[in-house]
Amino acid sequence: MITTIVLLMGFGLPQNSPRQEASGTVPAGGGRVTFAIDKDDSQNPTHDRFTGKRFEKALNVTLNSVIFRSSGQDLTTTGTYVEMGSRLLEPALLALAVLAVRGRIKR
């Protein structure tokens, strides 16, 4: 889990959280208005990758993806692959650790 946190802090979290923007025009005589909600693509950070705020967010994403299975965070492409890998590897490693402890206790 620590490796996942470090990888997410370094490469997986976007520089800024994408914000939704609404734009449109209002007709002069009134009428129907349609707004388009658009998100920018996530950008990799260029500096300050290892900060307290990024650590907290990476920890949150890691715990949600491993324990609760629902991070729901906007991640970079690398971050998405890191999260998928952690969902596969971390439960398997935790199960192996439990079996190892069990084997030591049974002796």
Side-chain angles (χ1 to χ4, degrees):
M1 290 174 107
I2 291 171
T3 303
T4 302
I5 291 171
V6 170
L7 287 173
L8 284 176
M9 284 177 65
F11 307 105
L13 297 176
Q15 184 172 0
N16 296 319
S17 296
R19 296 186 186 141
Q20 293 182 349
E21 292 184 8
S23 61
T25 57
V26 179
R32 185 176 178 168
V33 177
T34 303
F35 291 103
I37 305 295
D38 201 10
K39 280 186 166 182
D40 293 334
D41 291 335
S42 300
Q43 300 290 325
N44 283 327
T46 54
H47 62 287
D48 293 335
R49 291 179 186 230
F50 298 99
T51 62
K53 186 176 179 182
R54 288 179 64 81
F55 172 77
E56 182 181 350
K57 189 170 182 179
L59 179 65
N60 185 18
V61 169
T62 302
L63 290 177
N64 279 334
S65 70
V66 173
I67 297 172
F68 304 114
R69 297 285 186 203
S70 62
S71 73
Q73 295 287 325
D74 291 320
L75 301 173
T76 62
T77 303
T78 306
T80 302
Y81 287 122
V82 167
E83 184 182 24
M84 285 190 288
S86 72
R87 283 185 179 194
L88 178 69
L89 291 176
E90 289 175 10
L93 291 174
L94 287 173
L96 289 174
V98 168
L99 288 175
V101 169
R102 181 177 163 248
R104 293 294 257 177
I105 292 174
K106 277 188 137 180
R107 289 186 185 181

